[in-house]
Amino acid sequence: MFSTNFKSHLILNVIVKMEDGKVVSDITIRYRIYKIQEKYEPLVVHFDNVNDSIINRRILYPEGICIIEDSKCQREEIEIGGLKSSRYKFEIPDELLKYKYLTIESQMKENGFDHWTTFNWTSLTPYDGLSCTIICQDNLVIKKKTLFDNKNKYIFTESDDKRRLDICST
């Protein structure tokens, strides 16, 4: 039915705050992946900024938790059009191939600037079901939101003070 991995149960939580005089986004993402043709494709995370990073990553499965060690991730810096970015790649351990699906959880940090940031998230694989919450702290507010998809397939709920945005796929 499918020829590439896809995600489901996708939850994206973002806390935007000030840290050391700069705006940072602390991100937690959790989703389920499924085997395609009896294997899992590698997990890939791409950051637009080489200073952004994965803080913690783990795989949850019916019998336990597998912590993804930094030493097991391949990191490469990429330059496209003069802009540098970074990509992390991790192979699913063979011992987890016996499960039909796995839940992936990652904590990441994206660095902004002195008083602003642009939070951009793109799925590198298809997904079904999205719940995203962005919460601003330290007097930061959401100034603009843009969705590059069919807006009729999402519900946006924004707080009156512009400090919280919830996005849910329908």
mmCIF file of all heavy atoms in Angstrom, residues 16-18 23-24 114-116 136-142 161-163:
data_model
loop_
_atom_site.group_PDB
_atom_site.id
_atom_site.type_symbol
_atom_site.label_atom_id
_atom_site.label_comp_id
_atom_site.label_asym_id
_atom_site.label_seq_id
_atom_site.Cartn_x
_atom_site.Cartn_y
_atom_site.Cartn_z
ATOM 1 N N VAL A 16 8.570 28.872 23.277
ATOM 2 C CA VAL A 16 9.456 29.930 22.777
ATOM 3 C C VAL A 16 9.748 30.851 23.954
ATOM 4 O O VAL A 16 8.834 31.332 24.622
ATOM 5 C CB VAL A 16 8.791 30.709 21.619
ATOM 6 C CG1 VAL A 16 9.741 31.754 21.064
ATOM 7 C CG2 VAL A 16 8.340 29.752 20.513
ATOM 8 N N LYS A 17 11.041 31.084 24.216
ATOM 9 C CA LYS A 17 11.430 31.861 25.399
ATOM 10 C C LYS A 17 12.766 32.547 25.152
ATOM 11 O O LYS A 17 13.448 32.285 24.158
ATOM 12 C CB LYS A 17 11.529 30.940 26.611
ATOM 13 C CG LYS A 17 12.584 29.858 26.450
ATOM 14 C CD LYS A 17 12.563 28.882 27.611
ATOM 15 C CE LYS A 17 13.642 27.830 27.417
ATOM 16 N NZ LYS A 17 13.658 26.869 28.494
ATOM 17 N N MET A 18 13.119 33.417 26.091
ATOM 18 C CA MET A 18 14.421 34.083 26.053
ATOM 19 C C MET A 18 15.437 33.241 26.822
ATOM 20 O O MET A 18 15.124 32.697 27.878
ATOM 21 C CB MET A 18 14.341 35.476 26.685
ATOM 22 C CG MET A 18 13.434 36.450 25.956
ATOM 23 S SD MET A 18 13.927 36.797 24.257
ATOM 24 C CE MET A 18 15.496 37.625 24.510
ATOM 25 N N VAL A 23 16.171 34.631 21.539
ATOM 26 C CA VAL A 23 14.941 33.847 21.512
ATOM 27 C C VAL A 23 15.293 32.419 21.105
ATOM 28 O O VAL A 23 16.012 32.204 20.126
ATOM 29 C CB VAL A 23 13.926 34.443 20.512
ATOM 30 C CG1 VAL A 23 12.659 33.609 20.467
ATOM 31 C CG2 VAL A 23 13.606 35.891 20.868
ATOM 32 N N VAL A 24 14.819 31.445 21.869
ATOM 33 C CA VAL A 24 15.032 30.037 21.535
ATOM 34 C C VAL A 24 13.679 29.320 21.528
ATOM 35 O O VAL A 24 12.747 29.717 22.231
ATOM 36 C CB VAL A 24 16.005 29.316 22.498
ATOM 37 C CG1 VAL A 24 17.386 29.921 22.443
ATOM 38 C CG2 VAL A 24 15.474 29.302 23.903
ATOM 39 N N ASP A 114 17.969 38.213 18.751
ATOM 40 C CA ASP A 114 17.846 38.955 20.006
ATOM 41 C C ASP A 114 16.403 39.220 20.430
ATOM 42 O O ASP A 114 16.109 39.266 21.604
ATOM 43 C CB ASP A 114 18.634 40.263 19.951
ATOM 44 C CG ASP A 114 18.154 41.202 18.852
ATOM 45 O OD1 ASP A 114 17.378 40.779 17.981
ATOM 46 O OD2 ASP A 114 18.577 42.368 18.878
ATOM 47 N N HIS A 115 15.473 39.381 19.505
ATOM 48 C CA HIS A 115 14.084 39.641 19.902
ATOM 49 C C HIS A 115 13.054 38.949 19.015
ATOM 50 O O HIS A 115 11.875 39.209 19.108
ATOM 51 C CB HIS A 115 13.809 41.160 19.938
ATOM 52 C CG HIS A 115 13.850 41.800 18.587
ATOM 53 N ND1 HIS A 115 15.037 42.091 17.949
ATOM 54 C CD2 HIS A 115 12.864 42.173 17.746
ATOM 55 C CE1 HIS A 115 14.767 42.633 16.773
ATOM 56 N NE2 HIS A 115 13.462 42.698 16.626
ATOM 57 N N TRP A 116 13.502 38.054 18.155
ATOM 58 C CA TRP A 116 12.551 37.366 17.276
ATOM 59 C C TRP A 116 13.108 36.023 16.804
ATOM 60 O O TRP A 116 14.294 35.743 16.899
ATOM 61 C CB TRP A 116 12.200 38.230 16.069
ATOM 62 C CG TRP A 116 13.359 38.462 15.122
ATOM 63 C CD1 TRP A 116 14.351 39.389 15.252
ATOM 64 C CD2 TRP A 116 13.649 37.727 13.939
ATOM 65 N NE1 TRP A 116 15.240 39.283 14.217
ATOM 66 C CE2 TRP A 116 14.831 38.273 13.376
ATOM 67 C CE3 TRP A 116 13.033 36.679 13.276
ATOM 68 C CZ2 TRP A 116 15.404 37.790 12.210
ATOM 69 C CZ3 TRP A 116 13.599 36.202 12.108
ATOM 70 C CH2 TRP A 116 14.774 36.762 11.588
ATOM 71 N N CYS A 136 4.393 30.977 23.948
ATOM 72 C CA CYS A 136 5.430 32.007 24.101
ATOM 73 C C CYS A 136 5.536 32.425 25.556
ATOM 74 O O CYS A 136 4.524 32.631 26.229
ATOM 75 C CB CYS A 136 5.091 33.232 23.248
ATOM 76 S SG CYS A 136 5.100 32.914 21.484
ATOM 77 N N GLN A 137 6.756 32.559 26.035
ATOM 78 C CA GLN A 137 7.026 33.019 27.391
ATOM 79 C C GLN A 137 7.835 34.309 27.314
ATOM 80 O O GLN A 137 8.193 34.763 26.231
ATOM 81 C CB GLN A 137 7.802 31.948 28.164
ATOM 82 C CG GLN A 137 7.044 30.658 28.329
ATOM 83 C CD GLN A 137 7.850 29.576 29.038
ATOM 84 O OE1 GLN A 137 9.073 29.650 29.155
ATOM 85 N NE2 GLN A 137 7.163 28.549 29.496
ATOM 86 N N ASP A 138 8.132 34.895 28.463
ATOM 87 C CA ASP A 138 9.018 36.060 28.564
ATOM 88 C C ASP A 138 8.555 37.237 27.706
ATOM 89 O O ASP A 138 9.360 37.892 27.035
ATOM 90 C CB ASP A 138 10.464 35.674 28.193
ATOM 91 C CG ASP A 138 11.003 34.565 29.082
ATOM 92 O OD1 ASP A 138 10.699 34.575 30.290
ATOM 93 O OD2 ASP A 138 11.731 33.692 28.570
ATOM 94 N N ASN A 139 7.254 37.499 27.699
ATOM 95 C CA ASN A 139 6.647 38.619 26.960
ATOM 96 C C ASN A 139 6.798 38.517 25.442
ATOM 97 O O ASN A 139 6.640 39.509 24.740
ATOM 98 C CB ASN A 139 7.182 39.968 27.457
ATOM 99 C CG ASN A 139 6.782 40.233 28.893
ATOM 100 O OD1 ASN A 139 5.634 40.001 29.274
ATOM 101 N ND2 ASN A 139 7.714 40.692 29.698
ATOM 102 N N LEU A 140 7.104 37.347 24.932
ATOM 103 C CA LEU A 140 7.145 37.139 23.487
ATOM 104 C C LEU A 140 5.732 36.843 22.992
ATOM 105 O O LEU A 140 4.911 36.291 23.733
ATOM 106 C CB LEU A 140 8.075 35.977 23.140
ATOM 107 C CG LEU A 140 9.539 36.189 23.510
ATOM 108 C CD1 LEU A 140 10.310 34.887 23.410
ATOM 109 C CD2 LEU A 140 10.161 37.254 22.612
ATOM 110 N N VAL A 141 5.431 37.216 21.753
ATOM 111 C CA VAL A 141 4.109 36.984 21.176
ATOM 112 C C VAL A 141 4.248 36.460 19.743
ATOM 113 O O VAL A 141 5.273 36.641 19.096
ATOM 114 C CB VAL A 141 3.236 38.268 21.162
ATOM 115 C CG1 VAL A 141 2.937 38.740 22.566
ATOM 116 C CG2 VAL A 141 3.891 39.363 20.346
ATOM 117 N N ILE A 142 3.184 35.839 19.274
ATOM 118 C CA ILE A 142 3.126 35.358 17.898
ATOM 119 C C ILE A 142 2.637 36.510 17.030
ATOM 120 O O ILE A 142 1.541 37.030 17.228
ATOM 121 C CB ILE A 142 2.175 34.151 17.786
ATOM 122 C CG1 ILE A 142 2.717 32.996 18.638
ATOM 123 C CG2 ILE A 142 1.992 33.735 16.316
ATOM 124 C CD1 ILE A 142 1.743 31.885 18.887
ATOM 125 N N ASP A 161 -4.104 37.059 23.891
ATOM 126 C CA ASP A 161 -2.848 37.780 24.136
ATOM 127 C C ASP A 161 -1.726 37.374 23.159
ATOM 128 O O ASP A 161 -0.590 37.817 23.298
ATOM 129 C CB ASP A 161 -2.382 37.601 25.582
ATOM 130 C CG ASP A 161 -2.052 36.160 25.946
ATOM 131 O OD1 ASP A 161 -2.143 35.262 25.067
ATOM 132 O OD2 ASP A 161 -1.711 35.922 27.112
ATOM 133 N N LYS A 162 -2.041 36.506 22.182
ATOM 134 C CA LYS A 162 -1.098 36.093 21.128
ATOM 135 C C LYS A 162 0.103 35.308 21.668
ATOM 136 O O LYS A 162 1.146 35.241 21.047
ATOM 137 C CB LYS A 162 -0.577 37.297 20.328
ATOM 138 C CG LYS A 162 -1.649 38.158 19.753
ATOM 139 C CD LYS A 162 -2.131 37.582 18.464
ATOM 140 C CE LYS A 162 -3.059 38.589 17.782
ATOM 141 N NZ LYS A 162 -3.971 37.978 16.884
ATOM 142 N N ARG A 163 -0.070 34.682 22.830
ATOM 143 C CA ARG A 163 1.037 33.925 23.435
ATOM 144 C C ARG A 163 0.886 32.410 23.244
ATOM 145 O O ARG A 163 1.800 31.666 23.576
ATOM 146 C CB ARG A 163 1.163 34.246 24.920
ATOM 147 C CG ARG A 163 1.543 35.692 25.154
ATOM 148 C CD ARG A 163 1.842 35.946 26.618
ATOM 149 N NE ARG A 163 1.889 37.354 26.921
ATOM 150 C CZ ARG A 163 2.898 38.146 26.651
ATOM 151 N NH1 ARG A 163 3.950 37.670 26.038
ATOM 152 N NH2 ARG A 163 2.860 39.419 26.966
#
